[in-house]
Amino acid sequence: LGAVGYASVNLDFFGLGADPGEDRSTDLNFEGAFIIQEIKFQLGKSNWILGADYNFARIDTTLDLGFPILPPFRTADQSSGLGVLASYDTRDNHFTPTNGTDALLGFRYYAEALGSDNDYYTGRAQYRTWLPIGDKVVLGLRGDAAGASDETPLYNLPFIQLRGVPAFRYVDQYAFTLEVEPRIQITDRWGVVVFGGVGRTAGTLSDLSESDTVYSVGAGFRYFLARKYGIHAGVDVAYSDDDFAFYITVGSAWLR
């Protein structure tokens, strides 16, 4: 996998460890170039995959605090890091699974020796499994955990990723998410999904038990778009403590 790009992303920033329902935010912009390189190898004919990656980013961060007499706060950071990953994949379909598990562990180290402004590291663990219940129902379960060290720049910190929760709404040194999604096939072509999830962020692992829980629920429909490839597509509607949103989904909503 390889990618080179340039982006400018505007977000509402509520601060690290923001509480659900907090409505005071500032304008945040990330702008810059990035390079992504990843290579993965299947171990023989097993379900195990090992890989390595390299990430580079030069990002300008602009935070408008909303005070007329103060100019926006601006920083420029350069990150360059090498990572390793291991995954286990038994899914029967990579687009819309009906059975199997997809799990991943990843660790990336950013170093001044590689061209990064600071030495820091990030890690992540992801788990998705799909369990058939009879002929018409598939139960999906998802769990995500991510963490970062103290010197990590703002744009590389983990955040809660749930449908209905705005991106970067809840961000901190650690982020954890759990989600469940049953899919019910009504006819050969049409089906429905319902889903719900919870997430937490914390500055330290010891603070996780005392942090606020973020909730998200929703529902949607699926149409069996391509029988040859096993692809379902549809629309999801989701609600959380802070927002309402709809999504056009092709394949699984949990595709990385």
Side-chain angles (χ1 to χ4, degrees):
L1 171 69
V4 177
Y6 188 92
S8 179
V9 180
N10 295 311
L11 298 166
D12 292 326
F13 182 58
F14 293 82
L16 300 182
D19 297 328
E22 173 65 54
D23 59 359
R24 292 176 296 177
S25 65
T26 57
D27 294 332
L28 176 66
N29 174 265
F30 295 131
E31 182 173 359
F34 61 88
I35 299 172
I36 299 172
Q37 292 289 318
E38 181 182 85
I39 185 168
K40 297 190 290 186
F41 299 92
Q42 183 180 8
L43 296 182
K45 296 183 179 180
S46 72
N47 296 314
W48 288 96
I49 298 170
L50 298 180
D53 60 29
Y54 170 73
N55 276 24
F56 173 87
R58 176 68 179 178
I59 303 297
D60 294 329
T61 301
T62 303
L63 185 62
D64 189 350
L65 300 177
F67 296 109
I69 61 174
L70 294 177
F73 176 75
R74 291 186 173 90
T75 62
D77 293 287
Q78 182 168 294
S79 295
S80 180
L82 291 172
V84 293
L85 59 91
S87 65
Y88 178 77
D89 191 350
T90 62
R91 291 173 295 173
D92 59 354
N93 185 282
H94 285 266
F95 298 105
T96 309
T98 59
N99 194 5
T101 296
D102 179 28
L104 179 142
L105 286 173
F107 177 85
R108 186 176 299 121
Y109 184 69
Y110 296 83
E112 293 182 13
L114 299 172
S116 187
D117 287 343
N118 299 308
D119 291 346
Y120 66 94
Y121 60 85
T122 61
R124 58 182 172 136
Q126 299 176 344
Y127 178 83
R128 291 107 165 86
T129 192
W130 290 266
L131 306 170
I133 302 176
D135 297 329
K136 299 294 185 180
V137 179
V138 176
L139 177 63
L141 302 171
R142 168 197 167 211
D144 287 356
S149 62
D150 290 339
E151 297 297 322
T152 304
L154 184 61
Y155 58 84
N156 259 347
L157 288 177
F159 57 91
I160 293 176
Q161 299 184 50
L162 284 171
R163 281 167 286 183
V165 177
F168 222 70
R169 174 65 175 83
Y170 300 99
V171 57
D172 215 322
Q173 302 293 127
Y174 297 91
F176 298 85
T177 304
L178 295 174
E179 191 174 11
V180 59
E181 181 190 89
R183 186 176 78 244
I184 305 168
Q185 203 66 31
I186 305 299
T187 68
D188 288 343
R189 286 284 188 179
W190 292 95
V192 296
V193 297
V194 293
F195 52 87
V198 295
R200 284 188 175 186
T201 59
T204 65
L205 289 175
S206 60
D207 292 336
L208 184 65
S209 61
E210 300 178 359
S211 62
D212 293 310
T213 301
V214 179
Y215 299 90
S216 171
V217 297
F221 71 86
R222 293 293 184 269
Y223 178 71
F224 203 168
L225 186 65
R227 291 181 184 271
K228 182 178 180 180
Y229 301 104
I231 302 176
H232 294 238
V235 173
D236 294 334
V237 178
Y239 298 85
S240 71
D241 297 297
D242 310 283
D243 213 344
F244 155 82
F246 72 92
Y247 304 83
I248 298 174
T249 303
V250 179
S252 172
W254 299 340
L255 288 175
R256 285 196 288 269

